[in-house]
Amino acid sequence: MSEFFTNTGGNSQELVRVQNLVKYYPVLGGVLRREIAQVKAVDDVSFSIAKGETLGLVGESGCGKTTVGHTMLRLLPHTSGSVTFDGTDVFSLKGPELKNMRRNMQIVFQDPYASLDPRLPIGESIAEGIKIHKMGNTHERVDIVIDNMRKVGLEDYHANRYPHEFSGGQRQRIGIARALALQPKFIVLDEPVSALDVSIQAQVLNILRDLQKDLGLTYLFVAHNLAVVEHISDRVAVMYLGKIVEMAPRDELFSNPQHPYTRALMSAIPIPKPNRKRERVILSGDVPSPLNPPSGCRFHPRCPFAQENCAVDEPGLRQLRPDHTVACHYAEQFLD
């Protein structure tokens, strides 16, 4: 699958590579609590991200996209596969080397309130990572905290306030400031605007874009809202039941989706014009359980174009257009 590690635009210098990543959760049963099955949350996922690029990772709830981000950062142990950051194998690092790597790879969580200590003023929460990594003296740490708070639109006096005194949008800004404090190169954005009002979403997304431009950041943007992904991403990877089924540059994917699942997702995006209607693609059935995924193509039980071989032969990612890959036996019929 290495031939599908593609980048976009003039920037082709790879920063992050995920190759054949697998994350299974054991299911225990019986009196002795032995493993009787496995939940296949992430099953053979591969992609790369160029320096300064934003890769959007989208899919329905439960498809494994958040697990990908957490496993990449070693917040969860991996089952198999590899993650390479700036030429270094992340999964092989231990001790001080792993600690140093964590400075360069940060995360912004979906629920900012749950990720903040309610007993600490937010200035201290932002400074925690700086203290752990022993960056600067006391006065320098205060300057770093204030500087990063200003970058995300917070005021200096906010440093002495507690998480419950802020709105949801302000808490997410605090989470972004905390991630920025260690001067990372790569940030996993785990549905950072899903719990916010639309107007606040736009503000936070604009902050993220400005920070990327000013600081040269690289993002993995995990989301289920395709409109948000279209706004911020350079490329988009679509996940279904633990696997990537389509990956392409943003404009290419939104103008010409080639996987039936992607087309169904696109058909649900509202059009802000009352006199225009989008033809809806209604999928039958429910998402299968990752505990017992279907054989062959995992999407075939819900696919309106499935053939007999789809239930037997699992399609691999293949390139139909430059930088556009899809895992479907019959994707050619969707080419415009």
Side-chain angles (χ1 to χ4, degrees):
M1 295 179 64
S2 59
E3 64 268 30
F4 298 119
F5 292 102
T6 56
N7 297 303
T8 60
N11 183 2
S12 60
Q13 189 174 5
E14 182 181 278
L15 181 66
V16 181
R17 171 176 288 216
V18 176
Q19 193 158 11
N20 307 120
L21 183 64
V22 174
K23 172 59 182 175
Y24 292 167
Y25 292 96
V27 178
L28 306 179
V31 177
L32 300 178
R33 305 296 295 168
R34 292 177 176 173
E35 183 177 316
I36 58 174
Q38 292 178 321
V39 176
K40 299 178 179 180
V42 177
D43 199 2
D44 194 18
V45 165
S46 300
F47 57 83
S48 66
I49 312 176
K51 288 184 178 179
E53 183 186 26
T54 299
L55 176 67
L57 189 60
V58 303
E60 294 172 287
S61 296
C63 71
K65 55 188 185 296
T66 292
T67 304
V68 168
H70 288 192
T71 307
M72 288 174 63
L73 302 185
R74 292 185 60 172
L75 299 179
L76 294 172
H78 71 293
T79 301
S80 64
S82 66
V83 173
T84 304
F85 176 81
D86 209 9
T88 302
D89 182 3
V90 175
F91 292 158
S92 67
L93 297 177
K94 297 179 181 179
E97 292 181 339
L98 177 59
K99 182 179 178 181
N100 290 333
M101 179 62 71
R102 291 194 185 281
R103 282 189 57 182
N104 291 316
M105 304 176 71
Q106 289 292 300
I107 185 169
V108 175
F109 293 98
Q110 177 179 359
D111 185 352
Y113 190 66
S115 63
L116 295 171
D117 189 336
R119 299 167 297 179
L120 285 181
I122 63 106
E124 292 188 31
S125 291
I126 295 172
E128 276 189 308
I130 308 173
K131 294 177 182 178
I132 291 171
H133 288 272
K134 300 178 181 178
M135 297 171 59
N137 56 40
T138 302
H139 294 293
E140 291 171 336
R141 291 169 186 167
V142 171
D143 291 340
I144 293 173
V145 169
I146 296 300
D147 179 57
N148 283 289
M149 288 175 58
R150 291 173 178 173
K151 285 178 181 177
V152 298
L154 295 172
E155 302 294 338
D156 297 3
Y157 64 85
H158 285 150
N160 296 317
R161 293 187 175 182
Y162 290 84
H164 72 271
E165 299 180 77
F166 295 93
S167 66
Q170 288 175 317
R171 290 174 193 153
Q172 198 56 280
R173 293 172 191 238
I174 295 166
I176 296 170
R178 185 173 58 176
L180 292 175
L182 294 176
Q183 301 174 344
K185 298 178 182 178
F186 173 65
I187 300 179
V188 173
L189 301 165
D190 182 14
E191 304 206 35
V193 297
S194 63
L196 307 179
D197 293 337
V198 174
S199 60
I200 306 301
Q201 285 185 9
Q203 295 175 19
V204 173
L205 290 174
N206 289 333
I207 288 173
L208 291 171
R209 293 185 68 176
D210 291 342
L211 290 171
Q212 184 176 42
K213 181 180 179 180
D214 296 340
L215 304 177
L217 296 171
T218 303
Y219 294 149
L220 175 67
F221 192 93
V222 177
H224 62 265
N225 188 329
L226 286 167
V228 170
V229 170
E230 184 179 14
H231 179 73
I232 196 171
S233 300
D234 298 305
R235 284 189 303 137
V236 181
V238 181
M239 283 192 70
Y240 182 80
L241 208 61
K243 288 184 175 290
I244 290 179
V245 297
E246 187 165 7
M247 184 159 43
R250 174 195 59 199
D251 294 341
E252 166 73 11
L253 186 81
F254 279 83
S255 63
N256 187 29
Q258 296 177 13
H259 194 283
Y261 177 63
T262 310
R263 294 173 72 89
L265 291 179
M266 298 295 181
S267 73
I269 302 176
I271 299 176
K273 295 181 180 180
N275 59 344
R276 285 189 59 192
K277 291 185 178 181
R278 193 191 303 269
E279 182 181 351
R280 284 297 308 273
V281 178
I282 307 298
L283 299 178
S284 61
D286 298 322
V287 180
S289 169
L291 184 63
N292 185 28
S295 60
C297 175
R298 296 190 174 188
F299 186 62
H300 85 264
R302 306 175 70 195
C303 180
F305 308 102
Q307 307 294 322
E308 290 185 6
N309 65 313
C310 295
V312 180
D313 302 323
E314 181 177 346
L317 279 172
R318 57 195 179 96
Q319 185 167 307
L320 296 186
R321 286 181 171 176
D323 295 336
H324 194 155
T325 58
V326 61
C328 176
H329 294 302
Y330 302 101
E332 284 83 357
Q333 63 184 295
F334 304 120
L335 284 169
D336 292 338

